[in-house]
Amino acid sequence: VTFDPALRWFDRLNLAQAIPLFLLQNALLFAGTVVFGNAISRRWSHRRIAAEVQGDRRGEMMLGLVAIVMNTIVTIVGWWLWQRGMIRLTGKVSFAVIGEVIAFTLVLDGLMYLGHRIGHHPTFYPTIHRYHHRFVEPRAATLFALHPVEAVGFGFLWIAALVITSAVGYTVSGFAVGVFTSINLVFGVLGHVGVDPLPDRVRSSRLFRWIATPGFHVGHHLNPTYNHGFFTTWWDRVFDSIDPEYDAARLKPLIPIHT
Ligand SMILES: [Zn+2]
Ligand SMILES: [Zn+2]
């Protein structure tokens, strides 16, 4: 399987074509995430772990719209660097994709944990990360409620990882980047929908001791002192920033919140 024709198509775009295309793509990603996430919240409403949000919350949608613009800027910069060979991608799909996805996810997990801890530092929290925490009970749209600096910061972690990988001579598969994007979105959505669709026996399994469950990031919204990780619980365990009650709750059958 090869995505080379698709890569060539993107390579032929000019800036005037790329800007509206990537803006549309990021707007659709936002809209799709909100629609899909809200559907999950409804479908698993019997497994609520955070109170349901009613009506509009001031600023949540506005921050989301700004995030679309910021994500578009990140996409354009990534595309521009790729066109100039600073990011190298192959259209080929091989078994290497599995290793690349795992490596990329683990590296970004560490970088995002570090970035998130910096976001909670008293120097940056009041001006930047506080905007995400205005929304105590999360919902799908909260995923995009980020200060513009934060939205760009997350994006540039991806770009930095890809530029460094390319600089050391490794050509990553574009398909692997796409799979990672999906993983990032799935964890982002499940961490914000306020419900836990995971069956109890899955959530309490040994694997999900290490993989973040939906309750992990919801717990961070309810008490921002704990749970700064995104994909794994690893760094919170290493640096002792995990909610001390997280595992006990994870091992028990879910006690849903009724609102
Ligand atoms: Zn959040
Ligand atoms: Zn936070």
Side-chain angles (χ1 to χ4, degrees), residues 155-174:
F156 276 92
L157 288 181
W158 292 36
I159 288 184
L162 288 170
V163 167
I164 291 168
T165 306
S166 307
V168 298
Y170 191 84
T171 305
V172 73
S173 165

Side-chain angles (χ1 to χ4, degrees), residues 97-230:
V97 165
I98 299 167
E100 289 171 6
V101 168
I102 292 171
F104 209 66
T105 304
L106 292 180
V107 168
L108 265 291
D109 189 54
L111 291 175
M112 286 160 75
Y113 176 83
L114 179 66
H116 197 182
R117 285 300 294 266
I118 293 171
H120 278 272
H121 190 277
T123 312
F124 302 104
Y125 189 81
T127 42
I128 298 172
H129 191 51
R130 174 179 66 88
Y131 287 88
H132 188 63
H133 284 286
R134 276 167 61 186
F135 313 106
V136 176
E137 280 83 23
R139 58 177 170 186
T142 316
L143 172 58
F144 291 87
L146 300 168
H147 187 282
V149 167
E150 198 165 54
V152 167
F154 274 126
F156 276 92
L157 288 181
W158 292 36
I159 288 184
L162 288 170
V163 167
I164 291 168
T165 306
S166 307
V168 298
Y170 191 84
T171 305
V172 73
S173 165
F175 184 70
V177 178
V179 172
F180 171 73
T181 307
S182 311
I183 290 174
N184 183 53
L185 205 59
V186 166
F187 276 86
V189 169
L190 288 179
H192 288 95
V193 285
V195 299
D196 188 345
L198 287 183
D200 290 342
R201 64 172 189 287
V202 173
R203 201 182 56 252
S204 59
S205 67
R206 248 194 279 175
L207 183 62
F208 277 83
R209 173 179 164 81
W210 300 106
I211 299 176
T213 66
F216 193 68
H217 190 71
V218 169
H220 177 67
H221 275 266
L222 301 179
N223 186 345
T225 322
Y226 301 126
N227 305 359
H228 297 79
F230 291 95

